[in-house]
């Protein structure tokens, strides 16, 4: 026997809707949660980087003092960074660097930026130190 629709009040209808929504949500979210859990387990299996040690990989290229390095020799090499910090750059600059690093396949955006900045700091070391010392005032 089919129950009379008059007995279905607002509470019963709302409860039914909530149950349906929860079922749909579970069907959508459970596979995502399973994939995420697999990914987390995979990351846990990788060797963790210890905070105490910082391993820097440097590539030494013999340089003839009379010959300047080409841009590619100077900046385009894999630079693995173990300890990192976040720095914001413009979207336009990021897009250009991303296109360059994707075309080269063996370097990361962060590694490339780190290499370029290290060279910049090395090249302008004296000027940067001068500006820095001028801006420092005695505390006492």
């Amino acid at each position: 026997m089919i129950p009379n629709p008059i007995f279905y009040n607002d509470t019963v209808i709302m409860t039914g809707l909530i149950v349906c929504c929860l079922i749909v949500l579970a069907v959508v979210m459970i596979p995502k949660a399973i994939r995420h859990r697999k990914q987390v387990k995979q990351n846990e299996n990788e060797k963790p980087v210890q905070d105490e040690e910082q391993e820097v990989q440097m590539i030494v290229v013999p340089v003839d003092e009379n010959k300047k390095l080409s841009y590619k020799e100077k900046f385009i090499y894999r630079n693995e960074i173990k300890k990192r910090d976040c720095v914001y750059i413009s979207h336009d600059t990021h897009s250009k660097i991303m296109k360059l690093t994707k075309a080269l396949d063996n370097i990361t955006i962060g590694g490339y930026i780190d290499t370029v900045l290290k060279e910049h700091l090395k090249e302008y070391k004296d000027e940067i130190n001068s500006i820095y010392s001028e801006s420092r005032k005695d505390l006492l």
Side-chain angles (χ1 to χ4, degrees), residues 17-34:
L17 283 173
I18 291 171
V19 169
C20 288
C21 289
L22 288 173
I23 291 171
V24 169
L25 186 65
V27 167
V28 171
M29 295 305 291
I30 287 175
K32 288 184 180 182
I34 291 170

Side-chain angles (χ1 to χ4, degrees), residues 26 28 35 44 48-49 53-54 59 61 74 80 83 87 92-93 95 101 106 113-114 124-126 130 133 136 139-140:
V28 171
R35 281 194 304 271
E44 286 175 356
V49 177
E53 298 177 25
Q54 182 178 5
I59 297 175
V61 179
K74 202 172 199 179
E80 290 191 31
K83 286 188 176 182
V87 176
D92 185 47
T93 302
S95 296
T101 56
N106 66 335
I113 292 172
D114 189 62
Y124 294 102
K125 177 183 175 181
D126 295 333
S130 173
S133 65
R136 308 269 305 176
L139 293 174
L140 302 175

Side-chain angles (χ1 to χ4, degrees), residues 8 20 24 29 33-34 42-43 55 72 77 93 99 102 104 107 115 122 126 134 137 140:
Y8 289 112
C20 288
V24 169
M29 295 305 291
I34 291 170
Q42 213 173 28
N43 289 343
E55 183 179 324
K72 200 169 188 178
Y77 62 86
T93 302
K99 287 177 187 175
K102 278 187 177 183
L104 297 170
I107 64 172
T115 303
K122 189 167 95 178
D126 295 333
E134 288 173 7
K137 299 198 174 17
L140 302 175

Side-chain angles (χ1 to χ4, degrees), residues 67-129:
K67 177 191 169 207
K68 284 193 171 186
L69 292 174
S70 71
Y71 185 85
K72 200 169 188 178
E73 292 170 325
K74 202 172 199 179
F75 297 111
I76 310 298
Y77 62 86
R78 185 154 182 82
N79 179 10
E80 290 191 31
I81 304 169
K82 299 292 180 185
K83 286 188 176 182
R84 303 178 270 214
D85 286 315
C86 182
V87 176
Y88 295 98
I89 59 173
S90 70
H91 178 74
D92 185 47
T93 302
H94 184 273
S95 296
K96 290 175 184 173
I97 293 172
M98 183 175 62
K99 287 177 187 175
L100 173 66
T101 56
K102 278 187 177 183
L104 297 170
D105 267 344
N106 66 335
I107 64 172
T108 63
I109 294 172
Y112 174 76
I113 292 172
D114 189 62
T115 303
V116 171
L117 285 174
K118 280 180 187 175
E119 185 62 32
H120 171 81
L121 294 172
K122 189 167 95 178
E123 185 175 335
Y124 294 102
K125 177 183 175 181
D126 295 333
E127 293 176 51
I128 292 170
N129 283 336

